[in-house]
Amino acid sequence: MTSWTEMQNRSFYEATARQRAKYLLDEGTFHELVGPEAGLSSPHLPVLGEAVSFDDGVVTGVGKIGRRPVFVISQEGRFIGGSVGEVGGAKMVGVFQSALALYEKAAAKYPGDESRLPAILISFETGGVRLHEANAGLLAHAEVMEQIQICRGKIPVLSLVGSKLGCFGGMGFVSGATDLTIMSELGRVGLTGPEVIEEVLGKREFDASNRALIYRTTGGKHRHIMGSANYLAADTIHAFRAQVQRILALPYAEITAHRSIGSPALVEEQLGLTALAAEIKPKDAAEVWAYYGNANCETIPDLSTDEFLQHVKTRKGGSAS
Amino acid sequence: MSDTRPKNLVGKGREALETLLAPGSFSEGAVGTQTLDPALGPGAVVGTASLQGRTVTVIANDAKVRNPRFPVVLAGVIGLEEAYKMALAVYLTIEADRDAPLAEKRPILLVVDSPGNAPGKVEEVFGMHLATGAYQLALAEARQAGHPVVAMIIGRAISGAFLCHGLQADRILALSAAHGTMIHVMPLGSIARITKMDIERLEELSKTNPVFASGAGYFYKLGGVEEVIDDPADMPAVIAKHIAEIYKLNAEDRADELGPWGRGTLGAERGGRTKRGQVLDLMASQVAALEKELLS
């Protein structure tokens, strides 16, 4: 059996949802919540003659990182594209509710000690709503957004994006609404998937089969230059975990100061970016990289994560790693 | 006297405002002490008006204009500028009533008729996911502060646009399907294509299964729509009724019966979403059993 230590070097991109959930936390501390043995699978898929998964494509659990109780939501792209339905959505909402309940108890037991308060990690791999149970999935997304707002001021919520399918659709804005995002260069975040953009704009404007274009538009390096991927990690479970550990050692005020949206000032900042979009009308994300002072933009996709972080100029200035 | 009101308000957000609001009361762009630049995000109409004697912030879609800076923003699509403008209207509302008591936090009325978020390349480069997320967080914050938020679906409430502009409301009301209202993630034909399921079978199943079918009635069963309105003339009174109920529930510390969470409970009551509650209960009990270890 592969040891916890060996698993740390595994590719985050390739790891299953359960591996990500378990090995992001301290060794031996992971407890799965509403796991497969609970038998709570989708009631809607069998009606359509589709196979179910006993975790409904999302692994939820809790354990520790240092002294903190840490909840994890980890989506499994191998099951219907990591899509969110009634059960998987409820598992996500349940994590927020459980973390809020535990927060009150932790705050009462350890007054003034932030290192004892719960945190939430979301490891995304999804295209958003599960079409087979689309309406229930949609309602679940709205609940998750509400829960993120309720957690503010109390519980750090961190997004991790580095899995095969990226993070799209409604889960794109869920990740954007959290306190902070860690991506690998293999991660992708967006709202509208490449195929739909191609359908709207035509293949000449956006070729959905062009992987390099997709990465330039939504990938980890691009999001880091734009500032919405606060940190860029190498593609190992260890690298994501180490970054999470560094973040969770910070005071809450510093963690939440990483936010991209969620206040009038941040909306004004994003509106400034929108004005820039209207002004420079970039045909390609690389034009925005050049705007922020990067030279030789055509070489950026080929740089290793380390080289990229050493040389890149980002919207927020310098490299924040 | 013949009724000249349009029977179908799809694509007619501004006409709908005339039906909904006291005549001449709509002050476009003005929210609280500020006035938003009218050129910003023309696909979103925001402002202050009087509804059944109450001052409300209004946020609507205008399907008849194009955004000259963002070519994919037309027909009521919510683009970057539109979503941030909508978010600002919400934050200005919160700011305007910051010191007001709970009973005087002004309501926010969302008049919903949008086919989606802007599906463009520039939008993805700059982060359309952040724009729609920003508006949702603002609405969630307004509800937390005690502003009643009511969504009135007069036309299209489609997928991401509905999530952005509607699903964070305390209460969601919809004109009945006879008025052309559309509520769904995708039309059945697209669902059939993407999931590789048989369209005839989907159509048959959709008659009894609300989880993927399109329409206000199905969302009602799931708890996703609180009330369906048959006659557009009834909209102002029904909206006012719901606003009054929201004030009451907030005053009684029963806000958990409202909004996305409240609709989850409603979905179980109406039999459309029965597993959600089982998942939540089981997880809460499992975490309670681990409490000692987690807090050690």
Side-chain angles (χ1 to χ4, degrees):
Chain A
M1 211 177 112
T2 319
S3 73
W4 185 92
T5 312
E6 286 166 334
M7 285 303 294
Q8 291 297 309
N9 294 319
R10 171 166 275 244
S11 161
F12 191 90
Y13 184 80
E14 299 286 350
T16 65
R18 193 161 283 100
Q19 287 169 339
R20 280 178 265 131
K22 186 172 176 184
Y23 298 109
L24 282 165
L25 302 178
D26 289 353
E27 184 171 6
T29 65
F30 176 75
H31 297 275
E32 187 158 346
L33 300 169
V34 191
E37 76 291 346
L40 284 168
S41 57
S42 165
H44 309 298
L45 291 171
V47 179
L48 300 170
E50 299 282 320
V52 300
S53 164
F54 285 104
D55 57 24
D56 203 37
V58 57
V59 174
T60 46
V62 64
K64 298 287 277 280
I65 292 183
R67 281 140 55 108
R68 271 192 200 267
V70 176
F71 289 82
V72 190
I73 296 166
S74 187
Q75 295 170 329
E76 180 53 73
R78 291 162 182 86
F79 184 66
I80 323 184
S83 57
V84 178
E86 179 182 345
V87 169
K91 287 170 79 172
M92 295 183 77
V93 172
V95 162
F96 286 90
Q97 285 285 303
S98 300
L100 283 159
L102 195 68
Y103 172 90
E104 299 303 334
K105 297 197 163 142
K109 186 170 180 187
Y110 302 107
D113 186 355
E114 284 195 16
S115 73
R116 296 285 193 167
L117 299 177
I120 298 173
L121 311 178
I122 313 178
S123 173
F124 290 95
E125 187 178 21
T126 179
V129 169
R130 178 179 297 160
L131 292 176
H132 309 72
E133 41 188 300
N135 302 342
L138 203 67
L139 294 167
H141 275 71
E143 282 193 66
V144 173
M145 288 298 280
E146 179 185 34
Q147 294 296 323
I148 288 175
Q149 179 63 27
I150 294 171
C151 284
R152 290 182 68 184
K154 295 180 174 174
I155 297 172
V157 183
L158 276 50
S159 293
L160 285 63
V161 188
S163 296
K164 207 165 197 167
L165 299 186
C167 174
F168 287 92
M171 283 293 145
F173 58 70
V174 167
S175 80
T178 60
D179 287 300
L180 176 155
T181 298
I182 304 167
M183 289 179 78
S184 76
E185 63 170 295
L186 298 173
R188 290 171 289 132
V189 171
L191 186 69
T192 310
E195 290 78 14
V196 179
I197 301 178
E198 180 186 297
E199 206 176 304
V200 174
L201 297 181
K203 210 175 179 71
R204 273 173 60 175
E205 275 288 311
F206 201 93
D207 179 354
S209 65
N210 184 340
R211 278 184 70 78
L213 169 67
I214 291 166
Y215 270 96
R216 286 200 302 280
T217 310
T218 59
K221 284 175 175 168
H222 171 62
R223 293 290 180 227
H224 186 62
I225 291 172
M226 299 302 287
S228 59
N230 307 88
Y231 298 94
L232 202 63
D235 176 38
T236 61
I237 293 176
H238 169 76
F240 274 85
R241 175 174 146 82
Q243 190 60 60
V244 167
Q245 285 176 302
R246 283 192 287 273
I247 300 298
L248 292 184
L250 298 172
Y252 175 80
E254 278 182 46
I255 299 174
T256 198
H258 288 81
R259 297 190 72 85
S260 293
I261 50 174
S263 71
L266 289 170
V267 166
E268 293 285 4
E269 187 179 323
Q270 292 295 334
L271 261 176
L273 271 176
T274 303
L276 177 69
E279 183 194 325
I280 65 177
K281 295 191 187 326
K283 287 274 173 223
D284 191 282
E287 293 171 34
V288 188
W289 306 348
Y291 175 87
Y292 287 119
N294 290 291
N296 304 321
C297 290
E298 68 284 357
T299 65
I300 285 181
D302 297 324
L303 297 176
S304 72
T305 300
D306 281 345
E307 290 168 334
F308 172 79
L309 289 173
Q310 276 167 29
H311 299 294
V312 71
K313 293 190 171 62
T314 67
R315 176 173 72 86
K316 293 178 174 174
S319 148
S321 179
Chain B
M1 203 179 95
S2 69
D3 188 353
T4 54
R5 259 189 297 267
K7 285 205 163 36
N8 183 319
L9 290 169
V10 179
K12 299 173 191 160
R14 286 183 181 274
E15 283 176 46
L17 293 187
E18 288 171 22
T19 307
L20 285 165
L21 307 171
S25 72
F26 184 50
S27 174
E28 185 165 351
V31 183
T33 55
Q34 289 197 43
T35 302
L36 294 166
D37 178 1
L40 179 72
V45 181
V46 307
T48 301
S50 175
L51 179 124
Q52 301 258 302
R54 219 191 273 280
T55 298
V56 299
T57 295
V58 177
I59 306 178
N61 310 108
D62 186 344
K64 294 186 175 167
V65 294
R66 285 172 173 264
N67 186 318
R69 293 165 295 283
F70 295 95
V72 298
V73 178
L74 71 165
V77 159
I78 298 170
L80 295 166
E81 283 187 2
E82 282 72 17
Y84 289 127
K85 179 185 186 179
M86 293 160 123
L88 280 183
V90 175
Y91 283 129
L92 289 172
T93 303
I94 298 173
E95 187 52 40
D97 291 344
R98 190 162 295 284
D99 300 322
L102 202 54
E104 289 167 29
K105 300 277 188 190
R106 82 188 65 181
I108 300 173
L109 173 63
L110 316 179
V111 182
V112 181
D113 177 31
S114 173
N117 291 122
K121 178 157 71 177
V122 172
E123 280 80 2
E124 287 303 312
V125 166
F126 281 84
M128 191 62 221
H129 65 294
L130 297 174
T132 171
Y135 179 36
Q136 293 174 63
L137 287 178
L139 287 170
E141 187 173 327
R143 285 190 51 234
Q144 277 183 320
H147 294 271
V149 180
V150 174
M152 179 68 240
I153 301 171
I154 57 144
R156 300 154 298 168
I158 314 291
S159 198
F162 186 25
L163 274 168
C164 166
H165 183 49
L167 278 166
Q168 284 303 317
D170 284 301
R171 291 277 171 88
I172 300 174
L173 319 175
L175 281 180
S176 55
H179 302 283
T181 46
M182 281 179 274
I183 312 179
H184 59 226
V185 172
M186 258 186 204
L188 275 188
S190 304
I191 293 183
R193 196 177 69 238
I194 293 170
T195 60
K196 299 182 174 64
M197 290 189 291
D198 185 51
I199 180 72
E200 281 82 23
R201 184 137 175 278
L202 271 182
E203 278 170 355
E204 187 57 35
L205 287 167
S206 75
K207 288 175 190 158
T208 52
N209 187 327
V211 295
F212 56 82
S214 166
Y218 296 111
F219 269 83
Y220 180 89
K221 179 110 194 276
L222 293 170
V225 163
E226 271 81 3
E227 187 167 345
V228 177
I229 301 174
D230 289 321
D231 183 353
D234 293 340
M235 288 192 292
V238 177
I239 293 166
K241 177 190 80 178
H242 282 276
I243 288 172
E245 287 177 14
I246 297 163
Y247 274 126
K248 185 166 179 287
L249 288 169
N250 278 334
E252 292 169 358
D253 205 18
R254 289 164 65 194
D256 62 350
E257 294 174 34
L258 298 165
W261 176 264
R263 277 187 287 280
T265 315
L266 200 57
E269 282 170 18
R270 291 178 180 172
R273 285 187 289 161
T274 53
K275 286 255 178 135
R276 173 189 172 278
Q278 294 175 34
V279 170
L280 294 175
D281 290 347
L282 178 60
M283 193 178 294
S285 68
Q286 289 179 335
V287 173
L290 291 166
E291 190 182 304
K292 202 170 165 201
E293 179 182 333
L294 293 171
L295 296 183
S296 68

